[in-house]
Structures are given as C-alpha cells and as structure tokens.
Amino acid sequence: MKILEDRIRRDGIVREGNVLKVDSFLNHRMDVELFREMGREWKRLFADRPVNKILTIEASGIGIAAVAALEFGVPVVFAKKSKSINLDQDNYVTQIESFTHHRTYDVIVSRKFLGPEDHVLIIDDFLANGCALQGLLQITKEAGATVEGIGIAIEKGFQPGGRLIREQGFRLESLAIVESMDPETGIVFRE
Ligand code: 5GP
C-alpha cells in the first residue's frame, strides 16, 4: 500500500535490534485518516469473506482495528494482556512472547465475546516473529471461531512470522512488507 510505505519511509525510524519505530503515526500519535485508508484497503482485500468480528490485541492493535471495523460494520474484540489471571472458566487464555519487550504475557479474551458462530478477521500493527498472531490464532481455535483472514499493517519480511502463518494456510494481507532495514541505508519494501 503505497501511502503507508511512503509514510514509513518518511517518518519511520530504524532502531537497533530490528525495531522500526512508527510512533509519530501509528504507535503513539495516531493518524486516523491513514487508518481509514488502511481499513478501506483491508475491506477491499477481504471483500469476499463473511467477517462478523475483528479481533486484535492491546494496545497498538486497537486503534487500527477500531477504524477498520467501521469499514466492515462489525464489532472489535481486543485480547487483554494480563499479569495475573483469574483462573476462572470465563476466559480463553494463552501466552504470548513480546518481541519488543522481551517478556511473556498472559493474554485473555472473555468467552462472552468470541465463540463458534464468529467469522473473525484478525488485525494487528506489526508482524515480526509471529508470536502475537499465534496467540490470537490459539484463542480463536479454542473458541471454535473461523479465521477469515489476517490483516497486518507492517510485516517485517526478514523475520519468520509471515512465512510461518502463510504456511499454515491462513490468508494474510500485510499492507507494507519491509524486506530489509538499516539505520544507515534505510528501508526496502517487498514488491
Ligand atoms: P511478533 O509477536 O510477531 O514477534 O511481534 C508482534 C508484536 O510486537 C506487534 O504487536 C508489535 O506490537 C510488536 N513489534 C514487533 N516488531 C516491532 C517493530 O519493529 N516495531 C514496533 N513498533 N513494534 C513491533
């Protein structure tokens, strides 16, 4: 998606450790006009899929998922990162290893808000090693929901998450795929 790639080129900052900072339009200040264009693009790409719910994970997924949900006309459920879990029967629970924070989170979704009747589009801001997505996929599986597709804003194509998810047969649409990035030479996108 050209406007997203242009924005990453203009405002993205490449940090040591394969981290791309996009705080100025996605992860801290949010450019909701850009989010709307991203939502429209996912709507176009998944037009043939009977999506009735969008699933994302806090915190950075929520903004883009909420704006995309307006295009789909469906509600959003976000998985909550939880330090201490009430081991009750009310939640689906999984563990996710954070790429940026180098720690493991427990993640929960209430059983009230996801079930076998759901046709889910999963949306998230970044795809790196795929841990966050695998956790969300695990939750949808436990819920008996159908995954209609996965929409990612920025995939780091040089990390294995995208390949692993596509190999599992999921339809994954990343709006920008970073092929390589370097603090000196900049960012190259996949054609
Ligand atoms: P994964 O679980 O695929 O390894 O990483 C995905 C999650 O880590 C995303 O939800 C995002 O919050 C965070 N993340 C991974 N790589 C980056 C990055 O380069 N920049 C930013 N801002 N977040 C990232």
Side-chain angles (χ1 to χ4, degrees), residues 93-141:
V93 182
T94 192
Q95 275 78 42
I96 290 180
E97 199 182 318
S98 162
F99 175 80
T100 37
H101 299 115
H102 306 286
R103 50 164 290 197
T104 302
Y105 293 94
D106 291 314
V107 169
I108 64 166
V109 170
S110 169
R111 287 177 186 269
K112 278 190 297 218
F113 303 132
L114 195 65
E117 68 286 0
D118 283 319
H119 291 257
V120 174
L121 175 65
I122 298 176
I123 283 189
D124 203 5
D125 59 342
F126 270 89
L127 173 55
N129 291 328
C131 299
L133 266 188
Q134 298 290 4
L136 293 177
L137 288 167
Q138 175 60 36
I139 282 173
T140 52
K141 193 173 168 194

Side-chain angles (χ1 to χ4, degrees), residues 73-183:
V74 302
V76 181
V77 173
F78 64 91
K80 295 187 171 200
K81 292 174 182 163
S82 165
K83 286 196 193 82
S84 59
I85 285 175
N86 294 327
L87 283 176
D88 55 43
Q89 299 304 304
D90 298 339
N91 297 312
Y92 308 110
V93 182
T94 192
Q95 275 78 42
I96 290 180
E97 199 182 318
S98 162
F99 175 80
T100 37
H101 299 115
H102 306 286
R103 50 164 290 197
T104 302
Y105 293 94
D106 291 314
V107 169
I108 64 166
V109 170
S110 169
R111 287 177 186 269
K112 278 190 297 218
F113 303 132
L114 195 65
E117 68 286 0
D118 283 319
H119 291 257
V120 174
L121 175 65
I122 298 176
I123 283 189
D124 203 5
D125 59 342
F126 270 89
L127 173 55
N129 291 328
C131 299
L133 266 188
Q134 298 290 4
L136 293 177
L137 288 167
Q138 175 60 36
I139 282 173
T140 52
K141 193 173 168 194
E142 207 185 329
T146 305
V147 177
E148 294 293 343
I150 301 168
I152 295 291
I154 306 173
E155 175 180 339
K156 293 188 291 181
F158 53 87
Q159 289 181 255
R163 181 178 49 77
L164 294 173
I165 299 283
R166 291 186 181 94
E167 278 173 7
Q168 289 173 51
F170 291 105
R171 176 141 156 220
L172 166 62
E173 299 283 1
S174 300
L175 301 184
I177 304 182
V178 176
E179 199 65 83
S180 66
M181 59 185 203
D182 183 277

Side-chain angles (χ1 to χ4, degrees), residues 4-6 8-9 20 154-155 176-180 187-191:
L4 180 59
E5 291 182 357
D6 288 347
I8 296 167
R9 262 200 205 95
L20 177 61
I154 306 173
E155 175 180 339
I177 304 182
V178 176
E179 199 65 83
S180 66
I187 299 169
V188 177
F189 292 99
R190 189 175 294 175
E191 289 297 321

Side-chain angles (χ1 to χ4, degrees), residues 1 3 30-40 67:
M1 188 185 179
I3 56 166
M30 299 194 289
D31 181 341
V32 294
E33 294 286 344
L34 176 65
F35 289 10
R36 182 160 55 192
E37 293 307 315
M38 290 161 56
R40 285 179 180 153
V67 176

